[in-house]
Amino acid sequence: MKLRRSLLAVIALVALIISACGGTAAPAAGTLGPLSGDIRISGWSSSPTEDALLTESINAFMAANPNVKVKWEPIAQDYETVLKTNLAAGTEADVFYADIFWIDSLMKTGKLLALDDLMAKSGVNKSDFVPTLINAFSYQGKTYGIPKDFNTLGLVYNKDLFKAAGVAEPTNDWTWNDLSAAAKKLTSGSVVGLSLPADAARFVPFLWQAGGDLNNINNAAGQAAVDFYTGFEAKDNVSKLPSELGMGWAGEAFEKGKAAMVFEGGWLPADLNNNFKTVNYGVVQMPKGTAAKSNLIFTVSYSISAKTKNPTAAWALANYLTGSDNQAKVLKAGFALPTRTALSSQITNPNSKAIFDGAPYGKPFNYASANTGKVNDEIAKALESIMLKKSSVKDALDKLATTIKPLLQ
Amino acid sequence: MATRTAAVTAVSVQRPRLPFRISRVLFLAVAVIFTALALTPFILTVSGSFKTKSEILDWPPTIIPTVFQWQNYVEVWTNSHFFPQWILNSIFLAGFHLIVYIAIASLAGYAFARLNFPGSSVLFIAILGSIMIPGQVLWVPKFLLINQLGLVDNLAGVAFPNLAEVFGVFFMTQFFKSLPRELEEAASIDGASTFRTFRQIILPNAYPALAALAILRFQGSWNEFQWPLIVLRSPEHLTLPLGLASFQGLFGVNWNWVLAGAMFNAVPIILLVIFFQKYFIRSAASSAVKG
Amino acid sequence: MAVIAGGAVRRPSRFRYWRQWLTAYLFLSPFLLFMLVFIAGAVVVAIYFSFTDYDLLSDPVFVGLKNYQKAFQDEEFLHALRNVATYTAVVVPAQTFVALVMAAVLDQKLPFRRFFRIAWYLPCVASSVVTTLIFMWLFLPDGFINAALNFVGIPIRLNWLGDEATALPSIMFMNIWATAATMMLIFLAAIQDVPGPIYEAAHLDGAGPIRQFFQITIPLLRPAIFLVVLLGTIGCFQLYDQVKIATNGGPNGATSTVTYLIWKQGFRDLNMGYASALGVILFVGIFVISLVQRRFLDVRPDY
């Protein structure tokens, strides 16, 4: 008994010393063993301040693990092209950003390291993360990426225009009917209630909200969804395509006060805060459809190359960057939403909360794997032809259904 | 039209001037219009680069910024502590390319234009063909090759494949073809070797063409984006266009930074063009041709 | 003077003939070396890829002519080809014409010649990426082009790059602006080297400056014109940066070019085999066109 107690005390003391030597925001180095080696991390540059934050974090990691050298290699543009060229030659970095939009092919062809063992060793559980996010990066039961941040779509509305039209502001409990009614009342003069683009990335949540599905896009639910989405422009004249308003995207139409409501992700509030400070805006969750609430998830993970020579150090870095401390830091700086459920309570801004709360009932933006791009192209064409009154809902949908069926295998 | 003998025996004369004032005025008017079209976007870019983020999105757009935001340039410069290194890398690549490429392109161009050898036509056509295969399709094969040679993330990996640029060879070929044959004939009588003829007689007459090629290739190398983007990865190895792009994130988000960055990229070339201007002075070719 | 009719040099002896061959190959060798190592190999590999299914992530799988058959039934590809053809048919003549006029104007002894030369060349100086960004900014609905039109009384707020009808013309304009002066340089270099005595003789015969231009300068510029037209055509067929950055092939495929399609198929949709096949088809197209151009345009100037 005595021996056991003193043994425990020694172990506790040693653990204390190890963690104390690890520095302030020390990663779980103790459980992974001492780390050493050179690793490369690659991603795109977002903005100078965000890059500075990332470099700071990487330096902190290196300080805590003096035998590990991390090289940050930002890819200036065209990330997809450069990464895929490197994958073809086998020269990719150890850790790199992977967008949900195209990670499927990487997961299926064994280009990424399965992280479950390393996660277990570091005491990281899948349940620490928002389920829809971590599951998006899973394939055949294994995890291939840790989500670093994400976005969903929110209903961004112009408070001043609402006030002027005497319409009650949207809430998180809005339904399709509420949206319809408000859009009609808000359209007057040169202002339209909505600016809905002919874009799959904005339409598909509506499809799911109506209980529809891409494999049978022309069934009753699908038709109802398309009818609803395109009807704002084609029938009620309360929505206009961004290009018709002379804008590059729906967000711009909102920023310039041409549209009272748009559906965009956290990037719009960020742009408004930076460049359009006079616009008085609010964000709520997307309205509930006839069948359910639904949303699209745009997310990026830290993934590790299957070819890495230093999996433990690579994992330690990815884990550190997605750890609670680091994610809290990023959240506080206002750059991105955290992916850990525990941190949701730290989101105080109701606009950010609205975006964050879209995750639990959202689906990731990779519904057709490597063909998602093509499927989106076809959906966009169909939507545009309906909105510009060039074809009927039924015709366009039937054509669309046959075109995308082979792509959805 | 005068006979050849007459042309050859005449002394070097200046081109006849336009005697009529009307035509001169017309030409001048056209020149001014071209100048306005050419310069306006640049003037607007310069003015835009001094605007604040919000002013640059105003309607109607203003030509003179209300506040001169020198800040933009400072921010672009201090964004990364590798900025000076990027400039050096670009200079190094462009300088290397200029010197080596002009040498090999003029040699090759002369061979095609003037020397008779078997396979001349076939080789010319083959080389002609190689630039017609779109670059996108060659990125992966070239990268695989560079990787084999261990030149990834290395300026040499950018520089060496760029020496296989066909434009200069075409350009020099066409130019040498248009030189009068009398130049070489005079030399061959004196018993000079081909290389000596090339170096001492042909090249001096080629200054306008070489100057033009120099400007074009310097510019091509300085502005090159897609291939260096694929080959280079360490921040300290980047060239200026890559470095400037690396902090723009999504294109066009901060137009005033984009425009300030554009100025950083364009000014060195503008200076170079001004410098090379003097080589466009009409060569004294005609005086070398004697009876 | 050892000039024989036609300007041919006296036929050298056997030994000198071999020596000339050797000299020629020596002159060519540095360039050929780089061509062989970096281009020839890559082209061969690309052609190989065109006969495979290759998704960049797994090894290529041989499929024979499947990609080629698919291409000619691909509506997107045919649409892109039509776009490229239209684009080339407008831009090459425009570019060449503007460049010739510029060179002609500059060759006159007008005042401020040097200033004009630099000013007109400025548009070519910026990289295609930078030029595209500048024009994206100018073409914005709230941008300068609309402002200028409004200023002279045309009240339009077009979204130049976002409207199917105006997107491709906008890109045409942008490119002619950015490349005409490069061609002008080529013409200038050629014009500068036309020997003065020829003009002197023509002047003695009573030809004015305009007639001299059309009857002496232009015929002597034929090699340069061929070069400009050829390079212009190749450049048009390979239009990429502007489309990728400004319009992403849209709106609705209005600015989709074969090169953009190649990028989309190869890197976005991971059909590198099909993309390579499209590249080879494009290559064959340009090659045939340039042979035709060479036949009709590339004639040695007759002294």
Side-chain angles (χ1 to χ4, degrees), chain C residues 188-199:
Chain C
L188 268 184
I191 286 184
Q192 301 283 30
D193 233 73
V194 175
I198 293 189
Y199 289 104

Side-chain angles (χ1 to χ4, degrees), chain C residues 87 91 95 128 131-132 135 169-180 239 242:
Chain C
Y87 180 83
V91 171
Q95 229 176 29
S128 57
T131 307
T132 307
F135 270 86
S170 305
I171 297 196
M172 287 181 191
F173 178 78
M174 170 173 34
N175 273 316
I176 297 172
W177 180 87
T179 53
L239 177 70
Q242 298 83 338

Side-chain angles (χ1 to χ4, degrees), chain C:
Chain C
M1 197 184 314
V3 175
I4 305 169
V9 177
R10 181 180 65 227
R11 193 185 169 118
S13 68
R14 233 9 189 358
F15 169 68
R16 289 202 70 191
Y17 216 35
W18 281 108
R19 236 184 112 193
Q20 199 175 83
W21 288 13
L22 190 64
T23 316
Y25 276 106
L26 277 176
F27 270 50
L28 280 172
S29 52
F31 177 69
L32 276 187
L33 174 70
F34 286 102
M35 279 294 285
L36 272 173
V37 173
F38 293 105
I39 300 292
V43 169
V44 166
V45 173
I47 295 180
Y48 163 65
F49 284 159
S50 74
F51 294 110
T52 67
D53 260 348
Y54 179 39
D55 68 355
L56 289 182
L57 305 173
S58 339
D59 292 330
V61 173
F62 189 77
V63 292
L65 291 173
K66 184 182 101 168
N67 291 324
Y68 290 93
Q69 290 165 336
K70 189 171 151 199
F72 290 103
Q73 296 171 337
D74 188 356
E75 180 52 48
E76 227 185 342
F77 174 59
L78 298 171
H79 187 34
L81 270 181
R82 284 195 298 269
N83 283 343
V84 172
T86 316
Y87 180 83
T88 310
V90 171
V91 171
V92 171
Q95 229 176 29
T96 312
F97 175 72
V98 171
L100 262 176
V101 171
M102 280 186 184
V105 169
L106 275 188
D107 202 45
Q108 307 301 323
K109 298 246 187 305
L110 293 173
F112 307 118
R113 251 171 85 199
R114 282 207 177 145
F115 168 71
F116 285 137
R117 202 158 50 206
I118 297 176
W120 300 351
Y121 190 65
L122 240 41
C124 306
V125 145
S127 73
S128 57
V129 169
V130 164
T131 307
T132 307
L133 289 173
I134 293 179
F135 270 86
M136 276 169 79
W137 175 61
L138 294 175
F139 276 131
L140 283 177
D142 283 355
F144 275 100
I145 303 233
N146 280 333
L149 290 170
N150 274 276
F151 187 69
V152 296
I154 310 175
I156 47 175
R157 291 278 286 272
L158 284 180
N159 187 355
W160 295 92
L161 291 170
D163 191 329
E164 262 188 78
T166 55
L168 196 60
S170 305
I171 297 196
M172 287 181 191
F173 178 78
M174 170 173 34
N175 273 316
I176 297 172
W177 180 87
T179 53
T182 302
M183 308 306 184
M184 168 196 84
L185 272 193
I186 297 179
F187 283 137
L188 268 184
I191 286 184
Q192 301 283 30
D193 233 73
V194 175
I198 293 189
Y199 289 104
E200 169 72 8
H203 185 60
L204 290 174
D205 272 2
I210 309 249
R211 215 170 130 219
Q212 283 178 22
F213 184 74
F214 280 102
Q215 295 206 328
I216 301 178
T217 319
I218 293 205
L220 289 178
L221 281 182
R222 271 184 99 170
I225 294 181
F226 165 65
L227 185 66
V228 165
V229 169
L230 178 67
L231 291 174
T233 309
I234 295 174
C236 286
F237 270 71
Q238 299 196 343
L239 177 70
Y240 176 73
D241 285 335
Q242 298 83 338
V243 167
K244 177 109 192 326
I245 295 170
T247 57
N248 271 307
N252 225 354
T255 56
S256 177
T257 58
V258 178
T259 47
Y260 178 73
L261 207 59
I262 288 174
W263 171 82
K264 196 165 93 157
Q265 288 288 347
F267 290 95
R268 190 191 79 168
D269 301 336
L270 296 178
N271 295 322
M272 188 50 84
Y274 183 55
S276 303
L278 293 181
V280 173
I281 295 176
L282 189 69
F283 154 70
V284 170
I286 306 178
F287 194 71
V288 167
I289 293 180
S290 24
L291 285 180
V292 168
Q293 286 179 353
R294 190 168 192 230
R295 182 80 178 67
F296 287 105
L297 292 174
D298 191 19
V299 171
R300 294 236 180 120
D302 226 349
Y303 280 92

Side-chain angles (χ1 to χ4, degrees), chain A residues 59-70:
Chain A
N59 288 336
F61 176 81
M62 284 200 282
N65 298 281
N67 290 319
V68 179
K69 256 200 78 194
V70 180

